[in-house]
Amino acid sequence: MVHVHKFDTVIVGGGGAGLYAALEASKKCKTAVVSKLYPQRSHTGAAQGGIAAALGNLEEDHPDWHAYDTVKGGDYLTDQKAAQVLAEDAVKVVYDLEHRGLAFSRLENGKIAQRRFGGHTNNFGKGPVRRACYAADRTGHMILQTLFQQCVENNVEFFNEFFAMDIIMDGNRAKGVSCYEIRTGDVHVFYAKAIMFATGGYGRVFMVTSNALSGTGDGPALVAKAGLPIQDMEFYQFHPTGIYRMGVLITEGVRGEGGILKNRHGTPFMEEYAPTLLDLAPRDMVSRAISEELLKGNGIRGDKKINDYVHLDARHLGRKLIESRLPDICEFCETYLGIDPSEHPIPVQPTAHYAMGGIPTDIDGRVHDGKRVIEGLYAAGECACVSVHGANRLGTNSLLELVVFGRRTGKHIADYVQGVDSPSGDASGADTVISRISSLRNKKTSKPIGPILQKMKQTMMEQVGVYRTESEMEQAIQTVKSLRDEMGGVVLQDSSSNFNTEVQSYFEAENLLLVAHSIAVSAKNRQESRGAHARSDFPERNDDEWLKHSLVRMKGEIDISYSSVDVSRWEPKPRTY
Ligand SMILES: Cc1cc2nc3c(=O)[nH]c(=O)nc-3n(C[C@H](O)[C@H](O)[C@H](O)COP(=O)(O)OP(=O)(O)OC[C@H]3O[C@@H](n4cnc5c(N)ncnc54)[C@H](O)[C@@H]3O)c2cc1C
């Protein structure tokens, strides 16, 4: 059955970015949020450590210092005006969240508490600064709850457990989105003057990841399937401290509070790699430092293999501090490892964590193709590429990006829809989705999805991970291509309509494979090392040839083009910490 809905704006995704946009848009227009999860279960709720804002509550700090750190942290691929907007809006947005009832941790004097995080410095790189505002180690959870309550108050209409599958385009204008209702199997078409994607990340492309199961890159994949380019896909961040083998995140907040990485000899090895910022150097550097220690045989097992681990030692911080400022970390250590972090070091390895690349947008969330804006199409949050994070994101800048650019996008949409007509459309907008689902149901051969995904994750982890080489990436491209072909042979085991999650899993797998393919292709194309993209065969950054964003089109013949980086404020320099 097909249902048709009409709104001023439809926002796909109920995480931090989607909800902040919905909150702003709903002040002026009829707003719907469609989400494959209940919004409160979005990955934003898992964010632990904090949100950056130069409030200066404990020591001198300025948005300008924050913008500079963001640019340098991004290895100069960051668009500098966007970074300035991020840092300047940060202060307003954090106070706005506070006034909406977000229960931040406090200092004795009642001000919002702040702690250190990697790459955040005072005075343009002189030393670490306390810039991360936090609510214990549940900052994302608090943001999500606060925004959700406010959206309910503003009469935002929620369509929960609706899975977006297709963008409906009319020439250069986006006019709708088709969704599969997980509960009934019905198809819903939403027509709106503005469509926004806020679908989060795609860590599930890799074997070891901190990301929720829902992080399948649906937004970038749908945009790519519509024939539009996606930007800087080669830049994927590995967070240094995932729980060994599981990838569950141990927040950088542990190091922010004074935790130290140590190798099998008990040596705090970051002294060798980042003499000034030590354990609080940016994540790409710390992940590479860990990988190098492992390859030298300094991992805890000492077998010179990249899948070994190191220790994150927080014992010296004492139980009282750990329990009060990092309560969830205590619980994770107990649940997943059976250890108490005030008595035992935590076994960690780099874990796939954050997508710097995604749907290209300007600072108001408008999607573009490198040359022109796509009418009525918006994106914000982890699925978007503004680009504030460049080649490597700093910790606590993502929650910030959600609220800063979610808010800006919502405001822009609220004004934009006042001046345009509602698009026309009927149930035929669902045709593409209906035919995709029915062709899946009518197949004769039988192949399960599981092994295909397993092979993709392993390939991406081993061949397009922390370190990359031409030949390995080429192998990865071939493997992913053949896995995409294999998807044609998959048949569903479940033929029911109600809660047929297999249908959703199939299309999520298709999206993951498209995203994996785009990462591998873009990574092989970029012949330099920058930020999170570290090539053993091209170890240096090469500004002469590669100070540019890459835009890859995945529909039909794969095509890569480039757009310039805004370096209007700070001249690119070598990165030392
Ligand atoms: C464990 C962990 C800890 C983190 N800690 C921090 C931190 O301390 N500080 C920081 O700054 N950053 C942190 N990050 C990063 C940050 O949390 C994420 O980048 C951010 O939450 C992403 O938010 P989002 O709004 O873009 O998407 P999400 O919160 O992931 O929400 C995505 C939404 O899109 C919906 N959706 C997706 N696909 C579809 C579809 N096809 N149809 C319909 N709906 C769809 C989902 O239902 C969901 O509502 C952390 C990340 C992780 C994984």
Side-chain angles (χ1 to χ4, degrees):
M1 194 171 167
V2 180
H3 309 257
V4 178
H5 308 263
K6 299 213 168 168
F7 284 89
D8 289 322
T9 183
V10 171
I11 296 168
V12 182
L19 291 184
Y20 220 134
L23 188 55
E24 286 299 334
S26 59
K27 288 180 187 165
K28 291 195 188 165
C29 65
K30 199 169 166 235
T31 304
V33 170
V34 300
S35 175
K36 65 181 181 180
L37 303 169
Y38 276 85
Q40 301 97 311
R41 299 182 62 111
S42 303
H43 190 67
T44 298
Q48 305 166 358
I51 174 165
L55 305 183
N57 284 351
L58 284 131
E59 54 195 321
E60 187 181 355
D61 200 4
H62 301 282
D64 230 25
W65 295 353
H66 184 184
Y68 171 80
D69 291 339
T70 303
V71 169
K72 182 177 169 190
D75 219 352
Y76 293 91
L77 197 77
T78 303
D79 282 330
Q80 301 192 358
K81 175 140 191 292
Q84 273 180 283
V85 167
L86 180 84
E88 278 160 23
D89 278 10
V91 177
K92 278 184 247 167
V93 172
V94 165
Y95 286 135
D96 182 61
L97 286 169
E98 183 191 32
H99 297 163
R100 290 179 190 278
L102 199 152
F104 280 110
S105 296
R106 302 273 163 186
L107 301 171
E108 296 244 311
N109 64 11
K111 290 186 174 175
I112 295 173
Q114 297 189 277
R115 62 181 161 210
R116 288 177 178 172
F117 249 78
H120 290 280
T121 70
N122 58 31
N123 232 334
F124 307 105
K126 288 284 179 309
V129 75
R130 280 169 283 193
R131 186 176 287 148
C133 310
Y134 58 93
D137 51 3
R138 298 174 183 136
T139 316
H141 173 85
M142 297 296 197
I143 290 177
L144 206 55
Q145 299 298 329
T146 305
L147 292 174
F148 183 68
Q149 290 167 6
Q150 302 278 316
C151 283
V152 171
E153 192 189 359
N154 271 17
N155 296 322
V156 171
E157 272 189 62
F158 285 96
F159 294 84
N160 298 330
E161 300 192 325
F162 276 53
F163 178 62
M165 285 182 54
D166 186 36
I167 310 176
I168 306 168
M169 298 292 293
D170 182 4
N172 187 42
R173 180 182 180 191
K175 66 170 194 174
V177 60
S178 308
C179 303
Y180 173 79
E181 187 183 355
I182 300 163
R183 187 171 62 87
T184 59
D186 288 355
V187 176
H188 295 249
V189 199
F190 294 83
Y191 290 104
K193 297 173 186 174
I195 314 289
M196 174 185 173
F197 282 90
T199 55
Y202 38 86
R204 288 279 149 186
V205 158
F206 297 94
M207 186 68 107
V208 176
T209 177
S210 66
N211 281 198
L213 285 170
S214 55
T216 53
D218 301 343
L222 261 57
V223 165
K225 284 179 186 169
L228 298 168
I230 40 182
Q231 185 171 317
D232 293 341
M233 296 301 287
E234 60 272 40
F235 297 105
Y236 197 89
Q237 176 172 86
F238 281 75
H239 190 296
T241 58
I243 292 181
Y244 177 48
R245 285 212 177 100
M246 285 173 245
V248 174
L249 194 76
I250 298 295
T251 174
E252 196 171 305
V254 175
R255 282 172 287 138
E257 296 292 352
I260 298 170
L261 289 162
K262 292 182 178 167
N263 62 22
R264 71 193 310 248
H265 309 294
T267 309
F269 56 85
M270 280 312 296
E271 284 170 16
E272 198 184 314
Y273 301 89
T276 309
L277 290 190
L278 304 170
D279 295 83
L280 288 175
R283 290 175 180 170
D284 57 332
M285 297 178 110
V286 183
S287 286
R288 281 197 291 276
I290 294 177
S291 302
E292 280 186 36
E293 287 295 302
L294 302 182
L295 293 172
K296 280 187 212 161
N298 291 337
I300 305 303
R301 290 199 322 245
D303 55 9
K304 299 196 178 180
K305 294 223 172 92
I306 199 90
N307 58 2
D308 197 353
Y309 64 99
V310 295
H311 277 148
L312 174 58
D313 196 351
R315 289 175 294 183
H316 53 288
L317 303 179
R319 179 168 285 128
K320 197 162 157 247
L321 183 142
I322 297 178
E323 280 180 354
S324 65
R325 299 208 195 146
L326 302 160
D328 270 5
I329 294 304
C330 292
E331 248 182 76
F332 290 172
C333 287
E334 198 181 311
T335 308
Y336 298 113
L337 297 162
I339 61 168
D340 172 351
S342 54
E343 285 182 7
H344 296 275
I346 312 168
V348 291
Q349 72 174 139
T351 182
H353 183 60
Y354 182 85
M356 272 75 72
I359 306 167
T361 72
D362 66 11
I363 55 170
D364 291 312
R366 295 189 300 173
V367 176
H368 63 80
D369 65 2
K371 293 193 182 85
R372 59 180 183 166
V373 163
I374 313 301
E375 281 299 315
L377 190 60
Y378 291 81
E382 190 170 340
C383 73
C385 181
V386 180
S387 131
V388 274
H389 308 306
N392 171 61
R393 166 174 79 82
L394 293 186
T396 68
N397 263 357
S398 170
L399 286 178
L400 180 60
E401 168 198 25
L402 310 182
V403 292
V404 165
F405 293 104
R407 177 167 170 267
R408 292 180 73 90
T409 305
K411 280 182 189 291
H412 200 278
I413 288 176
D415 292 334
Y416 169 80
V417 300
Q418 309 303 325
V420 288
D421 294 332
S422 295
S424 57
D426 55 22
S428 64
D431 288 354
T432 315
V433 165
I434 291 171
S435 81
R436 276 192 201 151
I437 296 173
S438 57
S439 73
L440 185 60
R441 288 206 160 120
N442 293 335
K443 273 198 216 120
K444 300 280 177 288
T445 49
S446 171
K447 209 168 227 179
I449 305 171
I452 298 181
L453 282 184
Q454 198 66 5
K455 179 87 181 151
M456 172 199 70
K457 288 164 195 258
Q458 198 181 346
T459 302
M460 292 300 286
M461 194 78 194
E462 287 169 6
Q463 298 183 322
V464 201
V466 175
Y467 284 111
R468 299 160 171 189
T469 62
E470 179 94 9
S471 58
E472 285 187 340
M473 286 185 286
E474 182 51 38
Q475 279 174 28
I477 292 170
Q478 296 313 327
T479 307
V480 173
K481 257 194 201 162
S482 68
L483 292 173
R484 291 186 76 184
D485 292 341
E486 279 185 42
M487 284 295 285
V490 167
V491 80
L492 299 187
Q493 319 284 314
D494 181 357
S495 59
S496 63
S497 299
N498 295 353
F499 285 105
N500 186 336
T501 49
E502 220 189 348
V503 169
Q504 182 187 350
S505 303
Y506 177 88
F507 290 106
E508 286 181 336
E510 207 180 76
N511 293 341
L512 278 171
L513 282 160
L514 183 153
V515 167
H517 197 178
S518 72
I519 296 174
V521 165
S522 307
K524 180 175 163 245
N525 182 59
R526 184 175 283 272
Q527 297 188 330
E528 64 158 355
S529 289
R530 182 187 296 272
H533 176 62
R535 290 189 60 151
S536 317
D537 44 0
F538 293 95
E540 302 299 326
R541 194 175 87 193
N542 176 352
D543 286 340
D544 290 339
E545 286 175 67
W546 289 103
L547 185 60
K548 54 190 179 188
H549 298 293
S550 43
L551 291 149
V552 62
R553 281 183 204 265
M554 299 298 293
K555 194 174 177 181
E557 195 78 353
I558 293 174
D559 166 64
I560 298 183
S561 58
Y562 303 97
S563 68
S564 57
V565 180
D566 167 13
V567 285
S568 49
R569 177 88 195 274
W570 291 289
E571 200 188 316
K573 292 209 181 100
R575 247 184 357 152
T576 50
Y577 283 95

